[in-house]
Amino acid sequence: MQLFLQDLVPIPLRDKVNAHRSDIWKRERTFNQGNCVFIQAPSGTGKTTLMHILYGIREDFTGMVHWDTYNIASISKDDLSQLRAMHVSVVFQDMRLFPELTAWENLEVKRLLTNSVAAEDVEKWLVRLGLGDKKNAIAGTMSYGEQQRLAIIRALVQPFEWLLMDEPFSHLDKANTDLAIALITEVVQMNRAGMILADLDDNDHFFYTQKIAL
Amino acid sequence: MRHNRKRKQILRKLILRSGHISRLWAALVALCIGTTLLLLSVMIWWNFQQLLNGKSDENDSLGSTFLTVSKNVTDAKMGKPQLTIFSSNEIEEMRYAPEVQDVGVLTSNRFPVYATLNSALNFSTDMFVESVPDRFIDKRPEDWYWQPSNREVPIILSTEFLNLYNYGFAVSKGLPQLSESSIKALGFDLKVGEGELQQTFRAHIVGFSDRITSVLVPDSFMAYGNRLWGHNAYSEPTRLIVKVKDPSSKAFIQYLQTNDYTTNAEQLRWNKLRAIVEVVTGATGILAVLLMALGALVFILFIELTIAKAQQSITLLLQIGYAPGYLSRFMIKRFFPLLLATAVVSMIIAVLVQTGIAGWIKTMHLALPEYPGWPVYAALAVSTLILLTLVATSIVRAIRNTK
């Protein structure tokens, strides 16, 4: 699945976008499947806004966003669900877990939507990221670090061609970050997927094919 | 599908945890009572129609739909018999009057008839006879025919006349009271015509009619007599026999009144009862619809409240890839069985009531079907369909509107 952007401008950031040069805003860009893209974005440049536009959550923009033939501006609600369930997965900056469900239920509600990943695999992933004993903990009571790792695993329990990540390791220490990176790399390769990671500071968590500035 | 069940379990936890179950129950009870009332009002209306239209023979006393119609004899018309005659135009017009299915003419004798009961009783009288087309005769006897070579004339007597004789005349005069069968066994002489042309026939009564208050002879005898001995004075009829689909119909009664016609008032008494039944069923129906509307409103509000309370969860479910259509179907599957259950309960009540009514009305020698008729099922189907559509639409809209 190819991602194509053209003349993208988020309406609330119009003035800011006009004031400085960006590799994304107001440009034409194509990202091919399998690309590993790092977007470096200082605070306030619209990193989360971009992620939300790509994922179809925000509609207050001008320009074009195409996932293959899907035009995100005019996509139907059912097609958008299909896109999210089968093709594009996301790790939100603010995690967005169901606070009243247990850690395991949070994963199951996503996994059972497509049933494409075995429950045993997901259990192993929980153990790998140090959440083996948190399976039945209520998500709302878990620490940010734990919630962030849970959100990462949730993003992996579906088929996807692109993985969008918005500051995915902001609450993790070095050791946990490395564990998460290893898991993500493995599952992304398994899916032959591409990824777009947006963060504040430059890093080399993955073998990026492109590094661009927002 | 184990994973399907597990998924629904989690969805239930996320979406359907809204409290206020008492409100849901209140809505369901209101819906159930409303639906039941609606069915009952349709049922009362339908049962009354059944009784009135007299589809079955058993209801003949109510459903007798043959009326004799004549013109009112008023003070002004007295002494002017031509004013009570029906012209052929008026007869033709009657055929197209509301509810009228058939019109027949009661032909009366235009020749003298003198009856002599056998000499032992020494009873003789001048009399009149009438005839109607055969299709208007209830309980037509087998020997109901006559041709000029016959010396015997069959006669059908109104039950009313027999009663008058038995309970009035016979008692006061000290004459014997007569049963229907004994009267049929009696023969009497009928002297017909005047002077040289006078002939005597043997007459006997072959049947009794509830429908026509008259002394009836076969049409063929009447035609023969009128031709042979008839005066030409009044050749046109003064009484008509009319087959009416629904004698209590307002339009038909209106028609009678505007033309100043009169008929057996007994039949028209049903008109008043009908008006009462219409008011009662109408009022019950309106109450039922109001109750159902109220129940539906509370039910839909409950659903919308549930969805509003679960808004965050629904938003997030949509963000992780659940389709709005899937979530709508999930909600619909959860709430439809409740609505269908109320419909079933109402239907069971309606069937029980109908069976009860049928049993009760049998004791009054009337008959009603054991089970509710199609209008009751139709009312249930239509109201349930409307209800389901309203609920489904509100669910789909509420989920679609969740950002």
Side-chain angles (χ1 to χ4, degrees), chain B residues 182-200:
Chain B
S182 67
I183 286 228
K184 280 184 188 172
L186 276 176
F188 55 95
D189 291 331
L190 219 50
K191 282 190 183 137
V192 179
E194 291 171 300
E196 292 177 5
L197 288 173
Q198 194 178 58
Q199 291 183 33
T200 304

Side-chain angles (χ1 to χ4, degrees), chain B residues 11-174:
Chain B
L11 286 185
R12 258 201 296 284
K13 206 164 158 183
L14 283 174
I15 302 177
L16 303 174
R17 70 215 134 109
S18 143
H20 300 298
I21 289 300
S22 56
R23 281 188 208 169
L24 182 65
W25 276 107
L28 288 176
V29 168
L31 273 176
C32 198
I33 294 174
T35 313
T36 308
L37 276 182
L38 182 76
L39 296 188
L40 289 185
S41 64
V42 172
M43 217 162 74
I44 293 168
W45 168 82
W46 177 75
N47 280 332
F48 193 72
Q49 293 286 320
Q50 290 300 103
L51 284 179
L52 205 68
N53 288 343
K55 290 271 161 51
S56 54
D57 296 339
E58 290 131 290
N59 293 340
D60 200 41
S61 55
L62 295 185
S64 164
T65 50
F66 290 86
L67 301 177
T68 49
V69 174
S70 51
K71 292 188 174 180
N72 256 331
V73 178
T74 58
D75 290 349
K77 285 180 188 165
M78 276 172 67
K80 297 173 187 162
Q82 68 275 14
L83 288 181
T84 59
I85 284 170
F86 285 99
S87 71
S88 53
N89 277 346
E90 284 169 329
I91 296 171
E92 202 50 36
E93 196 191 303
M94 175 87 77
R95 286 187 200 282
Y96 298 102
E99 303 288 327
V100 169
Q101 293 174 321
D102 199 356
V103 177
V105 169
L106 271 154
T107 316
S108 52
N109 56 314
R110 284 177 267 124
F111 49 88
V113 178
Y114 191 73
T116 313
L117 211 54
N118 69 30
S119 47
L121 281 167
N122 195 20
F123 176 85
S124 57
T125 178
D126 271 321
M127 66 182 288
F128 76 100
V129 290
E130 288 183 298
S131 75
V132 290
D134 285 354
R135 64 180 188 279
F136 288 100
I137 294 174
D138 50 340
K139 305 178 213 155
R140 187 174 347 147
E142 277 176 34
D143 43 359
W144 184 247
Y145 72 94
W146 186 86
Q147 56 193 52
S149 61
N150 282 20
R151 302 315 297 167
E152 295 231 343
V153 181
I155 283 179
I156 291 178
L157 195 65
S158 163
T159 323
E160 293 285 311
F161 289 174
L162 179 63
N163 290 341
L164 272 179
Y165 170 80
N166 272 343
Y167 306 120
F169 196 72
V171 174
S172 66
K173 291 277 179 184

Side-chain angles (χ1 to χ4, degrees), chain A residues 55 57 59 77-78 81 84-85 92 96-98 100-101 105 108-113 115 154, chain B residues 3 6-7 10-11 13-14 17 312-313 316-325 400-403:
Chain A
Y55 196 60
I57 292 177
E59 292 162 6
K77 291 202 171 193
D78 289 323
S81 306
R84 288 168 177 173
F92 291 110
R96 303 204 175 180
L97 301 168
F98 296 100
E100 68 271 45
L101 296 185
E105 284 169 338
E108 284 293 272
V109 74
K110 177 79 176 182
R111 186 184 76 84
L112 294 170
L113 185 59
N115 208 28
R154 185 180 66 180
Chain B
H3 77 269
K6 275 200 296 193
R7 179 173 58 195
I10 300 177
L11 286 185
K13 206 164 158 183
L14 283 174
R17 70 215 134 109
Q312 277 190 330
S313 297
L316 191 46
L317 283 169
L318 292 172
Q319 283 178 4
I320 66 173
Y322 279 84
R400 288 253 158 202
N401 288 344
T402 306
K403 277 283 161 197

Side-chain angles (χ1 to χ4, degrees), chain B residues 324-393:
Chain B
Y326 176 85
L327 294 179
S328 300
R329 279 196 299 281
F330 171 77
M331 296 287 280
I332 285 170
K333 276 183 200 155
R334 159 79 191 185
F335 286 107
F336 267 25
L338 298 175
L339 294 178
L340 292 174
T342 62
V344 168
V345 169
S346 301
M347 194 66 229
I348 289 172
I349 294 174
V351 169
L352 290 179
V353 169
Q354 178 75 38
T355 314
I357 288 181
W360 171 68
I361 208 125
K362 211 175 255 172
T363 63
M364 301 195 294
H365 302 290
L366 293 171
L368 279 177
E370 295 259 326
Y371 294 100
W374 67 266
V376 178
Y377 295 106
L380 183 69
V382 169
S383 63
T384 307
L385 209 64
I386 291 175
L387 207 57
L388 293 181
T389 312
L390 279 177
V391 169
T393 320

Side-chain angles (χ1 to χ4, degrees), chain A residues 72-211:
Chain A
I72 207 84
S74 61
I75 192 169
S76 76
K77 291 202 171 193
D78 289 323
D79 281 345
L80 186 59
S81 306
Q82 183 72 7
L83 186 75
R84 288 168 177 173
M86 305 296 293
H87 306 289
V88 180
S89 193
V90 68
V91 179
F92 291 110
Q93 183 193 26
D94 52 357
M95 276 86 85
R96 303 204 175 180
L97 301 168
F98 296 100
E100 68 271 45
L101 296 185
T102 64
W104 182 246
E105 284 169 338
N106 262 291
L107 298 176
E108 284 293 272
V109 74
K110 177 79 176 182
R111 186 184 76 84
L112 294 170
L113 185 59
T114 52
N115 208 28
S116 58
V117 178
E120 301 80 61
D121 289 342
V122 181
E123 278 189 78
K124 280 180 204 151
W125 296 350
L126 267 178
V127 175
R128 275 176 67 177
L129 296 200
L131 296 174
D133 57 340
K134 293 283 177 183
K135 198 176 154 185
N136 294 314
I138 301 296
T141 66
M142 291 162 65
S143 74
Y144 282 135
E146 288 163 343
Q147 287 189 34
Q148 195 156 42
R149 279 174 276 163
L150 193 59
I152 289 169
I153 297 176
R154 185 180 66 180
L156 302 178
V157 298
Q158 69 163 88
F160 59 91
E161 291 159 51
W162 282 95
L163 178 63
L164 309 180
M165 290 180 283
D166 188 0
E167 292 190 50
F169 313 122
S170 55
H171 297 290
L172 301 186
D173 57 22
K174 178 80 172 66
N176 276 315
T177 304
D178 288 344
L179 288 172
I181 289 168
L183 178 64
I184 292 169
T185 308
E186 189 183 311
V187 180
V188 166
Q189 276 173 2
M190 213 162 65
N191 280 282
R192 299 173 202 282
M195 71 163 88
I196 297 174
L197 189 146
D199 214 330
L200 301 170
D201 303 312
D202 189 13
N203 64 65
D204 287 303
H205 293 325
F206 300 94
F207 296 108
Y208 298 119
T209 55
Q210 312 162 62
K211 283 190 176 184

Side-chain angles (χ1 to χ4, degrees), chain A residues 9-37:
Chain A
V9 177
I11 293 165
L13 297 178
R14 202 165 10 190
D15 297 338
K16 238 180 205 173
V17 165
N18 287 330
H20 78 282
R21 217 189 100 71
S22 157
D23 291 334
I24 299 245
W25 302 132
K26 296 176 79 176
R27 305 266 160 237
E28 185 178 310
R29 293 215 78 115
T30 305
F31 301 104
N32 292 310
Q33 182 158 358
N35 281 175
C36 188
V37 183

